[in-house]
């Protein structure tokens, strides 16, 4: 469990620096260049992600149950994941879904984390998904402040074809995950 927690601290911590230190980050990038910021950011993120994967896998071998979710919450999680994946794709395609969601990637993380908290009641899952949910809420609140201060901008939107493509690709990813990828990657079949 320690590896999972340390991984979350590293990964979510480095992803919080922009929110916590926007002026200092902007000044550092201006003086030293984006590469000076991006390399340590990428390395720390990667190490944190590996620790999360390893720690979560190890913690799942000896689960500590905090609550037993009702069966229907797994079905609700399946439905919520449709929206999470469409929002995740729309973050890259910059259509009107992205404009309305303001920051669709953070919205996707919040839905993904909430869906998985509904379906999983073990300590490792609560730490993992609860940590990501708390971070996404914090990041969204701080993003509003950074936009107002001029350190970030809202999504301007884009053509309808980007929205249609986001829905199509998001649904395709959803089917891929439900049918094969979730079980292959995480050892859990979303539909039994």
């Amino acid at each position: 469990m320690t590896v999972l927690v340390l991984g979350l601290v590293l990964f979510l911590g480095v992803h919080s620096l922009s929110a916590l230190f926007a002026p200092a980050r902007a000044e550092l990038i201006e003086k030293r260049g984006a590469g000076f910021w991006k390399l340590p950011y990428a390395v720390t993120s990667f190490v944190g992600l590996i620790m999360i994967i390893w720690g979560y896998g190890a913690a799942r071998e000896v689960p500590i149950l905090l609550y037993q979710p009702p069966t229907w919450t797994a079905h609700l999680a399946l439905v919520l994941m449709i929206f999470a994946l469409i929002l995740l794709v729309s973050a890259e395609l910059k259509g009107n879904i992205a404009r309305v969601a303001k920051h669709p990637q953070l919205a996707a993380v919040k839905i993904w984390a909430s869906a998985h908290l509904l379906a999983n009641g073990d300590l490792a899952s609560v730490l993992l998904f609860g940590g990501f949910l708390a971070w996404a809420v914090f990041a969204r609140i701080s993003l509003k402040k950074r936009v107002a201060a001029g350190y970030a901008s809202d999504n301007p939107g884009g053509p309808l074809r980007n929205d249609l493509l986001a829905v199509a690709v998001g649904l395709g990813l959803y089917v891929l995950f439900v049918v094969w990828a979730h079980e292959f990657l995480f050892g859990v079949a979303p539909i039994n």
Side-chain angles (χ1 to χ4, degrees):
M1 198 74 65
T2 304
V3 174
L4 172 61
V5 171
L6 290 175
L8 286 166
V9 168
L10 275 177
F11 188 84
L12 298 177
V14 78
H15 280 81
S16 298
L17 291 176
S18 295
L20 295 170
F21 305 107
R25 176 184 174 266
E27 185 179 322
L28 181 67
I29 289 172
E30 186 178 313
K31 286 182 181 176
R32 303 265 177 123
F36 188 79
W37 172 264
K38 288 182 179 180
L39 181 62
Y41 181 92
V43 170
T44 305
S45 294
F46 182 74
V47 170
L49 183 61
I50 296 301
M51 290 176 73
I52 289 169
I53 293 167
W54 180 29
Y56 186 69
R60 281 184 34 206
E61 290 178 13
V62 186
I64 300 169
L65 192 63
L66 298 178
Y67 58 91
Q68 183 64 48
T71 305
W72 64 267
T73 59
H75 303 295
L76 178 58
L78 278 169
V79 173
L80 290 172
M81 286 308 299
I82 295 169
F83 299 101
L85 289 168
I86 290 170
L87 282 165
L88 186 64
V89 173
S90 75
E92 295 302 317
L93 295 177
K94 310 267 191 261
N96 292 302
I97 295 171
R99 180 182 52 78
V100 171
K102 303 264 190 223
H103 201 300
Q105 189 171 12
L106 289 176
V109 170
K110 288 189 274 189
I111 293 170
W112 166 80
S114 298
H116 284 78
L117 282 170
L118 286 171
N120 298 283
D122 60 289
L123 178 59
S125 294
V126 169
L127 288 172
L128 175 66
F129 302 117
F132 270 91
L133 178 59
W135 169 81
V137 169
F138 162 74
R140 182 63 186 105
I141 292 167
S142 72
L143 183 62
K144 287 179 186 177
K145 293 177 181 177
R146 285 182 285 142
V147 167
Y151 292 108
S153 61
D154 277 332
N155 197 317
L160 178 61
R161 72 175 176 272
N162 288 1
D163 295 318
L164 297 174
L165 189 56
V167 170
V169 172
L171 289 174
L173 284 172
Y174 177 80
V175 169
L176 180 69
F177 265 86
V178 168
V179 171
W180 173 76
H182 199 277
E183 185 173 15
F184 177 76
L185 293 171
F186 310 113
V188 177
I191 298 177
N192 297 326

